[in-house]
Amino acid sequence: MSTLAYIGLGANLGDARQTIEAAINTLCESSGILTLRQAPLYSSDPVDAQGPVFINTVVAVDTTLEPLPLLDLLQTIEQEHGRERPYRNAPRTLDLDLLLYGTLTIETPRLSVPHPRMHQRAFVLRPLQDLAPALHLSQGSFSALLADCRDQKLQRLVD
């Protein structure tokens, strides 16, 4: 049995676009990931942080992994790409966030699902809407949530 999960990807150090593409390839090849669909790439200014422009996307995966093993996989991929955590919201080579895991609500010291700030981030909402326009978020509709984020610069990238 598999679960549909959504993962946010972002990077703003090094060749961010190439890093995200490599991380997606690694996910596709990982045990426990059955299928993967990717939203378009977007560029966005950092939110609540400083540093270069981010490249962001969201992927939907059908996975047989439980939430914590999926989180472990995401953190391993981050580490393979040199992720460091010197301080909160620091620039990063790669950030992988488990946004949604089926319909589960999880609140542990290691993992909060749904992601607690995704409804405040245009760089998550827009690609998530691209992948799953009928998805219902408890915080409101995509249009209302994106309207609340209208001050966040976001631009879809062309292939």
Side-chain angles (χ1 to χ4, degrees), residues 29-105:
E29 297 167 359
S30 295
S31 177
I33 303 298
L34 305 178
T35 64
L36 182 145
R37 291 183 301 117
Q38 177 188 342
L41 294 172
Y42 287 86
S43 67
S44 66
D45 287 339
V47 174
D48 297 333
Q50 301 296 316
V53 168
F54 273 87
I55 303 298
N56 299 95
T57 193
V58 171
V59 296
V61 297
D62 284 309
T63 183
T64 58
L65 297 173
E66 293 294 320
L68 287 176
L70 180 56
L71 178 63
D72 290 340
L73 172 63
L74 300 180
Q75 290 178 341
T76 297
I77 294 169
E78 287 178 340
Q79 292 301 316
E80 289 171 356
H81 290 278
R83 171 72 190 264
E84 296 179 2
R85 299 173 191 271
Y87 56 90
R88 183 172 167 80
N89 295 328
R92 55 207 66 157
T93 55
L94 182 62
D95 186 27
L96 301 175
D97 289 326
L98 182 54
L99 304 172
L100 297 165
Y101 185 89
T103 59
L104 287 184
T105 298

